[in-house]
Amino acid sequence: MKYVAAAGILLATFSSEAVDVAHAQQAPQGPLPTVTIEPAKPQTDRQGQSAATKPTNTQKKKKRTARRASPPPPAAAGGPGQSGAEGVHNAATHPNYNTGIANFGPLGNRSVLDTPLSMTVISNDMLQNLQLKTVNDTLRYLPDVEIRNQQGFEVSRPQSRGFQGTVVQNTRLDGLSVIGTTAIPAENLSGIQVLNGLAGSLYGPATPAGVFNYVLKRPTDSPYASYTQGFDSSSVFTENIDVGGRAPDKSVGYRFNVVHGEGESWAPESSSNRTLASGALDFYLGDRTVVETNFSHYETNTTGLPGSIVYFGGPKFPILPAAVDPTKLGLGQPGAGTDLITNTGLVKVKHDLNNDWNIEIGGLYQDAVRNLFGITDTLVNNNGNYTVTKNFNAVPHFTIASNTASLTGKFDLFGFRNEVTIGTNGFFNGQYSYFNSIAQNLGSSNLADPTVFASPPLPNNGGQFKSAILQNQTIVTGDTFHFNDQWALQSVVSTSFLHSESWNAAGAVTSQQSADGVVSPTVSLIYKPFDKITTYATWANSVEQSDQAPAGTVNVNQFLAPYTDQEYEVGVKYAVTPRLLATFALFHMTRPFASTDPVTNIFQVVGTQRNNGAELFLQGDIYSDLTVFGGISYIDARLENTGLATTNGRLVVGVPLFKTDMLVDYHPAAWQGFALTGGVHAEGERTATNLNNSFAPSYATFDVGARVSRIVDTHTVTVRFQVLNVGNTFYYSSIADGNIVGSPGANTAYLGTPRTYLLSLQMTL
């Protein structure tokens, strides 16, 4: 707790000083980075990933671009100084960590400042400068977000504001639902957008864990090519080629990313091997229509990292021990880990009817194979003794087909401005399980002196059978009604049609749930006292497609009846300068809480999770040489109405009261392409059990880095170096109730990564 409190005080002081400095910096601070000026493009292409200046409010009123395209940060790295070798934006010398525009699903692309929802956006510049390779690496810079690891370090569920995520309801790729519990690379992404809080009115049934939208890179207007070599951990060497541009007649745009990395990871006798092949082709049909296509293949094989630590199967069972050195050989097992294979195809059609109205239609299909051959270390007493189990019986194969369609526009009626949308989105998710259990007991060991066991051959899984389907289709309607320049009322309502079904290995139906016409409304009152300030009050009520009983329970694979969640939120957003945004929000949220009954072993709703909290976030330029990204969150997450004195009113497992994440990037022009970065990640203590009789202590880790960018001949060359967890702090990166990780009645923890070195060389070709 002391680390987080200190970091929070520092952040509050820093934010106050930042506002004062920013006011003093309102006068021009010198020229902005020069950008390439392209000839006029079809309106649907103006959000392509060439560098562009942000339009003023006046310009927005005069002419509207195609809001449906993904709001891009600058795409190509240039050289030092104000511009690159060809005048394009250089992420290394002039990082932009405040994009200002985000995609809000059927509402389209809107200003983050003007929207009554809590949204944080990680830009492409940040992805590049921090050498981020997966979404898990990236999301740790958001104070509202936790990563709940499951059957491996990349088999996880992202969540915000202390609520657990689901397999498909909270994760999206360019606005379309995808499988969230598989590895997702970062090299083919232009950014990540996280919408905190309830979003059922926009996207249909979903938990209060927020919406994580991963935005794909799009073709560039000008020819672009870069080659990056990276080195990290013990000996993982990674190569990445990123190529984009247009056909000579400008009718087709392309973007290709190829990544391969392999070597020994940070644990002894571990191995990492990952390959990405991603391509995007955009077809421009006239001045107002574009067809976007994306295809990708991603495989990551990681073995030898520490296994999960399972504890506390009941009141008399072991509690969570202190975190140990994660590099100890034997906490994991050589050759044991995950092999994740994900193939994705996506197509979208975007058409501008005129300057005020547009249509978007899209579809996605994804196949995610999860070979889960990792290690579970199950504690048997408080002396550190544990049993070692290899392989997981969790779902090894997911498929999903998702869709979206919307009509968005604006019009004036009796002098009042209306911004309206009508649309639909949904998905069909298939789940496949093994006929036979593949779990293997390897033996016993102790945390003080872990044992390496011989690796037996994999058991015969007996093949796979369809174990469950999850289906959802939602109709969305919304209107932002502007009374005048200061006051507006935003109302969005979704009507959803849900179906879930599960089967056992014999093909018999074990559960079936349907709900037709369920409604999820959100209403927000917006007040803008000044152009730079937005205040809002939001109420939301959302249906979600409930939890699924985990392996080992009596009602395994069963989906419970749909839940109803609720949220109250008030907030203020302040554009201190055009390049610096500060946001603050207070929220009260509730959700049904399900757990496995220790007596009957039935997975069922046992109470309500109630989260009260506050969040402060700052992103952008304090002044021309200093950029910040981060904030602090306070979340009081408790169980209510459990009917048990031992759990009622207790803190929720794994949710810290305070969490701080802050990145500082110092890049003075006088240093001619040289820059320094620093980061802090701190969490208060987290309860490790529903009884609150065991806690993971507070911790803090610090990152430092440097980079330099130069023009060599006509190429821009950038070298980046970072040290993560400089103090080599031992901590738990993830603590979760066992019900969501396949261990009924027990909780699961994963050790955080140790000190890690990252080095990369990027060169434009």
Side-chain angles (χ1 to χ4, degrees):
M1 179 68 73
K2 61 182 180 181
Y3 295 120
V4 181
I9 293 171
L10 176 62
L11 173 63
T13 304
F14 185 48
S15 301
S16 176
E17 293 176 353
V19 172
D20 293 339
V21 171
H23 276 300
Q25 298 288 337
Q26 291 292 332
Q29 298 298 312
L32 293 173
T34 56
V35 297
T36 301
I37 305 301
E38 297 289 340
K41 298 291 190 302
Q43 191 172 13
T44 49
D45 176 55
R46 290 185 188 159
Q47 304 244 6
Q49 288 192 342
S50 59
T53 56
K54 183 180 178 181
T56 64
N57 290 335
T58 303
Q59 290 171 326
K60 288 180 183 177
K61 293 179 180 178
K62 288 182 178 179
K63 192 168 185 178
R64 177 174 175 239
T65 59
R67 297 189 306 161
R68 312 303 299 181
S70 302
Q82 296 297 315
S83 63
E86 298 183 11
V88 296
H89 173 82
N90 184 357
T93 55
H94 290 81
N96 176 20
Y97 296 165
N98 177 24
T99 58
I101 302 294
N103 185 270
F104 291 86
L107 300 182
N109 292 343
R110 295 197 175 186
S111 164
V112 175
L113 170 65
D114 297 333
T115 308
L117 299 166
S118 173
M119 171 75 81
T120 48
V121 181
I122 298 173
S123 70
N124 185 56
D125 287 9
M126 186 170 165
L127 294 174
Q128 287 191 50
N129 286 336
L130 297 184
Q131 307 175 73
L132 301 170
K133 297 179 176 61
T134 69
V135 296
N136 284 5
D137 297 335
T138 306
L139 294 174
R140 71 190 190 95
Y141 287 90
L142 300 178
D144 273 331
V145 173
E146 290 274 353
I147 299 295
R148 292 288 180 95
N149 290 310
Q150 294 184 242
Q151 296 87 15
F153 279 90
E154 287 196 76
V155 186
S156 56
R157 303 187 187 200
Q159 64 180 46
S160 74
R161 291 185 173 177
F163 288 97
Q164 68 184 40
T166 64
V167 175
V168 299
Q169 297 177 27
N170 300 97
T171 49
R172 292 177 176 263
L173 187 68
D174 275 0
L176 289 152
S177 294
V178 292
I179 303 301
T181 54
T182 189
I184 301 175
E187 286 94 346
N188 64 336
L189 301 181
S190 69
I192 296 176
Q193 302 173 357
V194 179
L195 177 61
N196 299 304
L198 285 178
S201 63
L202 295 176
Y203 293 102
T207 75
V211 175
F212 296 79
N213 187 29
Y214 309 126
V215 183
L216 289 164
K217 288 180 177 177
R218 298 248 56 83
T220 55
D221 288 339
S222 302
Y224 170 71
S226 74
Y227 172 72
T228 303
Q229 292 183 341
F231 181 87
D232 63 85
S233 300
S234 296
S235 60
V236 179
F237 180 72
T238 303
E239 296 178 281
N240 174 209
I241 296 177
D242 184 2
V243 178
R246 293 279 199 103
D249 63 357
K250 305 295 184 181
S251 63
V252 179
Y254 58 88
R255 190 70 177 266
F256 299 103
N257 264 271
V258 178
V259 179
H260 180 71
E262 63 178 296
E264 185 179 54
S265 190
W266 47 264
E269 298 189 32
S270 63
S271 174
S272 176
N273 191 324
R274 56 193 296 265
T275 300
L276 168 68
S278 174
L281 291 174
D282 288 1
F283 302 90
Y284 306 98
L285 311 178
D287 293 338
R288 294 185 177 272
T289 306
V290 60
V291 179
E292 298 178 352
T293 65
N294 292 88
F295 306 93
S296 67
H297 167 83
Y298 183 55
E299 180 170 4
T300 175
N301 183 293
T302 304
T303 62
L305 297 183
S308 61
I309 297 177
V310 173
Y311 62 98
F312 197 69
K316 297 181 181 179
F317 284 73
I319 59 177
L320 182 68
V324 298
D325 184 352
T327 63
K328 281 186 177 182
L329 181 62
L331 290 175
Q333 299 293 319
T338 58
D339 181 26
L340 309 173
I341 306 169
T342 307
N343 294 304
T344 308
L346 183 154
V347 178
K348 277 189 174 183
V349 179
K350 302 175 181 179
H351 175 68
D352 283 352
L353 298 172
N354 52 43
N355 290 339
D356 292 333
W357 291 87
N358 56 44
I359 298 174
E360 176 180 313
I361 301 173
L364 174 146
Y365 181 79
Q366 186 176 75
D367 184 275
V369 175
R370 311 191 313 163
N371 298 309
L372 306 175
F373 306 135
I375 296 297
T376 301
D377 298 329
T378 303
L379 293 171
V380 296
N381 57 39
N382 288 319
N383 297 321
N385 294 316
Y386 61 88
T387 60
V388 180
T389 305
K390 183 176 181 291
N391 306 329
F392 290 89
N393 289 315
V395 176
H397 186 194
F398 287 108
T399 61
I400 186 169
S402 55
N403 64 82
T404 183
S406 60
L407 170 66
T408 306
K410 58 185 179 181
F411 64 90
D412 291 337
L413 181 65
F414 304 119
F416 299 103
R417 172 56 55 95
N418 291 264
E419 296 175 290
V420 300
T421 186
I422 181 170
T424 183
N425 60 73
F427 62 82
F428 184 93
N429 168 222
Q431 304 180 11
Y432 301 83
S433 299
Y434 294 133
F435 278 98
N436 303 329
S437 170
I438 62 172
Q440 297 172 292
N441 186 10
L442 301 186
S444 299
S445 188
N446 187 276
L447 291 175
D449 186 20
T451 304
V452 176
F453 297 92
S455 181
L458 288 173
N460 181 2
N461 59 41
Q464 298 180 4
F465 67 96
K466 179 177 282 191
S467 55
I469 61 168
L470 200 63
Q471 189 173 1
N472 162 43
Q473 194 66 40
T474 296
I475 300 172
V476 180
T477 57
D479 181 17
T480 304
F481 182 85
H482 296 266
F483 297 97
N484 50 42
D485 290 340
Q486 283 76 44
W487 290 93
L489 182 69
Q490 180 173 290
S491 177
V492 186
V493 179
S494 69
T495 304
S496 301
F497 303 85
L498 317 177
H499 178 73
S500 63
E501 196 167 353
S502 62
W503 298 268
N504 61 22
V509 175
T510 57
S511 71
Q512 192 173 34
Q513 296 284 347
S514 293
D516 294 334
V518 295
V519 176
S520 299
T522 299
V523 179
S524 301
L525 181 63
I526 307 168
Y527 175 58
K528 290 182 66 68
F530 308 101
D531 286 343
K532 297 180 179 180
I533 297 178
T534 298
T535 63
Y536 65 91
T538 295
W539 170 81
N541 188 282
S542 180
V543 173
E544 64 164 291
Q545 217 154 2
S546 76
D547 293 311
Q548 185 179 20
T553 55
V554 171
N555 54 338
V556 58
N557 291 332
Q558 178 185 358
F559 289 98
L560 304 184
Y563 297 165
T564 299
D565 312 322
Q566 193 159 228
E567 175 186 34
Y568 296 90
E569 179 176 333
V570 294
V572 58
K573 302 180 181 182
Y574 177 29
V576 185
T577 71
R579 295 179 63 88
L580 178 64
L581 178 66
T583 63
F584 177 76
L586 298 170
F587 57 86
H588 167 83
M589 302 171 67
T590 58
R591 176 189 190 254
F593 184 85
S595 183
T596 303
D597 187 282
V599 177
T600 64
N601 198 30
I602 295 176
F603 183 75
Q604 59 191 357
V605 173
V606 296
T608 301
Q609 180 177 344
R610 186 274 298 152
N611 289 13
N612 293 333
E615 57 195 30
L616 171 66
F617 200 81
L618 193 67
Q619 61 185 97
D621 295 344
I622 296 295
Y623 58 96
S624 59
D625 294 343
L626 182 65
T627 301
V628 297
F629 185 95
I632 184 171
S633 67
Y634 166 80
I635 303 174
D636 180 39
R638 296 185 182 271
L639 297 179
E640 296 181 342
N641 306 317
T642 66
L644 298 173
T646 54
T647 58
N648 199 51
R650 305 288 183 172
L651 294 170
V652 174
V653 172
V655 182
L657 282 172
F658 290 93
K659 185 172 183 286
T660 296
D661 296 280
M662 175 62 74
L663 167 70
V664 178
D665 193 306
Y666 185 53
H667 44 274
W671 287 9
Q672 312 223 342
F674 185 77
L676 296 174
T677 61
V680 58
H681 309 278
E683 293 193 41
E685 67 177 11
R686 295 161 287 172
T687 183
T689 69
N690 287 340
L691 302 183
N692 291 188
N693 62 349
S694 176
F695 289 83
S698 59
Y699 74 91
T701 65
F702 301 90
D703 307 333
V704 296
R707 65 179 182 270
V708 62
S709 187
R710 292 283 187 272
I711 294 179
V712 179
D713 194 10
T714 59
H715 308 286
T716 300
V717 179
T718 304
V719 178
R720 297 177 172 93
F721 175 72
Q722 281 180 281
V723 184
L724 309 181
N725 191 1
V726 174
N728 200 29
T729 299
F730 301 156
Y731 66 99
Y732 287 108
S733 63
S734 174
I735 297 175
D737 185 286
N739 295 312
I740 69 167
V741 294
S743 303
N747 293 351
T748 303
Y750 274 87
L751 293 166
T753 55
R755 181 189 299 118
T756 306
Y757 300 93
L758 305 176
L759 176 66
S760 68
L761 171 66
Q762 181 185 32
M763 180 176 67
T764 60
L765 304 177

